[in-house]
Amino acid sequence: MIATVSGRDLLIEIFVTHAIDEEKTAKIEQLGISTIEIDLSKAQRDMSLESLKEVIIDNIENKRWIYNARVKFEFKRMLNQTKHMDITSRGFASHVDYCPMKVNVWRGKPYANVIVDCIYCIHCVSYPGDVICCNGHLDTNDI
């Protein structure tokens, strides 16, 4: 089913016997259309129309986002504001040199431990593997 909300399309998938699989999820993401899935797999088949309305419209426990275009847009916007900081391995530890939060300092040079400091930091937007995408350099008004 397709609904139009605030001028934007929203796909509404009703899950009774089969949830959306990875292949369909990939197609939805490729189309870029926000999609929500309503799980009716545990709903009684003989419920009243009023009960069905409550389950579909009022309850939130049985709903999940499959794809949210606004979230994707905002994440990309945040990612564009980040500084990509290289990760340096030192023995068994991985560090980011010149951490803008200055969580650790060694010989006057600020750094952060990737596992201990970066991953749990509110300024770590993404960790794609070999870099930390950090927005700690921004003024809080810019975020």
Side-chain angles (χ1 to χ4, degrees):
M1 175 186 336
I2 299 177
T4 302
V5 180
S6 300
R8 293 188 292 258
D9 287 341
L10 172 67
L11 290 176
I12 303 169
E13 288 282 330
I14 306 294
F15 161 26
V16 178
T17 57
H18 302 289
I20 293 177
D21 60 19
E22 289 180 20
E23 184 179 335
K24 189 169 186 178
T25 298
K27 288 179 184 177
I28 288 168
E29 289 179 10
Q30 189 176 15
L31 290 171
I33 300 174
S34 294
T35 303
I36 193 166
E37 181 179 70
I38 302 173
D39 182 354
L40 298 180
S41 63
K42 296 179 180 106
Q44 296 177 355
R45 302 287 191 254
D46 60 348
M47 72 172 59
S48 69
L49 195 55
E50 190 60 36
S51 295
L52 182 61
K53 177 185 172 228
E54 183 179 323
V55 169
I56 291 174
I57 296 172
D58 299 332
N59 289 356
I60 60 168
E61 299 86 22
N62 64 330
K63 297 177 182 79
R64 71 181 181 110
W65 282 105
I66 301 300
Y67 178 77
N68 187 317
R70 179 64 188 242
V71 168
K72 188 73 165 181
F73 171 82
E74 291 298 335
F75 181 73
K76 282 183 179 179
R77 187 179 66 80
M78 282 180 61
L79 213 49
N80 286 336
Q81 294 177 358
T82 63
K83 203 182 249 188
H84 292 195
M85 304 183 75
D86 292 327
I87 296 172
T88 304
S89 292
R90 293 190 182 99
F92 293 113
S94 296
H95 295 132
V96 172
D97 292 332
Y98 304 104
C99 167
M101 304 316 297
K102 298 179 174 77
V103 285
N104 302 297
V105 178
W106 188 70
R107 294 187 178 177
K109 181 168 89 174
Y111 74 95
N113 180 295
V114 172
I115 302 299
V116 176
D117 304 315
C118 296
I119 291 177
Y120 301 104
C121 179
I122 62 169
H123 298 287
C124 180
V125 176
S126 181
Y127 173 36
D130 56 345
V131 296
I132 293 288
C133 299
C134 175
N135 68 7
H137 63 285
L138 297 173
D139 183 312
T140 53
N141 295 325
D142 296 333
I143 299 174

